[in-house]
Amino acid sequence: MSLPEWAVGIRSALDNKMGLELIEVGPRRTRGRVPIEGNTQPFGLWHGGASCVVAETLASLSAYAEVGPQGRAFGVDINATHHRPGTSGWVHGEATALHIGGRLGSWEVVLTDDTGERICTARVTCALVRPRS
């Protein structure tokens, strides 16, 4: 596990509801996983909205890792393509930086099932509010 000190135990009410587990947090890459059970649509399949929540959470944590504890970061755009349904087990997410600039950063987030099959690909753009010197 590779979590910076500030990320150890960081939780939101939505993270708790979804059962998000962080594995690694950094500006260039952030990884986590979420159980499919409890995060499905009425027909028992992984919910596409859950994919968007996980994608934005992982990208936003990467953005926060970039600006540091005195900065702020938040999502301003998300695009998600749902490739296949998830039915059981876990959804694994990895946010990888595509570009980190002065005020904006973009991350590709790939969500896979336990077998490594891609469930969703998302692109998330975050505002980067760096601390004043």
Side-chain angles (χ1 to χ4, degrees), residues 5-83:
E5 188 174 315
W6 62 264
V8 175
I10 192 169
R11 307 289 303 162
S12 74
L14 186 53
D15 295 339
N16 289 334
K17 282 183 183 181
M18 293 188 70
L20 175 68
E21 295 179 3
L22 292 176
I23 297 165
E24 176 183 357
V25 176
R28 303 276 178 231
R29 182 172 80 167
T30 294
R31 297 183 305 128
R33 69 182 195 152
V34 178
I36 290 175
E37 185 176 337
N39 294 304
T40 60
Q41 36 93 318
F43 307 105
L45 303 174
W46 172 254
H47 198 293
S51 288
C52 291
V53 169
V54 173
E56 184 156 346
T57 298
L58 296 177
S60 293
L61 286 169
S62 275
Y64 185 77
E66 170 64 23
V67 299
Q70 302 305 313
R72 291 183 300 145
F74 49 90
V76 296
D77 183 66
I78 186 167
N79 163 301
T81 301
H82 308 290
H83 305 292

Side-chain angles (χ1 to χ4, degrees), residues 56 59-60 63 73-79 103-107 123-129:
E56 184 156 346
S60 293
F74 49 90
V76 296
D77 183 66
I78 186 167
N79 163 301
R103 294 185 183 179
L104 291 176
S106 294
W107 284 262
R123 184 189 44 79
V124 181
T125 301
C126 293
L128 306 173
V129 183

Side-chain angles (χ1 to χ4, degrees), residues 96-121:
T96 304
L98 298 171
H99 172 77
I100 298 176
R103 294 185 183 179
L104 291 176
S106 294
W107 284 262
E108 177 184 59
V109 184
V110 174
L111 303 180
T112 59
D113 64 16
D114 286 330
T115 68
E117 293 287 337
R118 192 177 289 225
I119 289 177
C120 177
T121 305

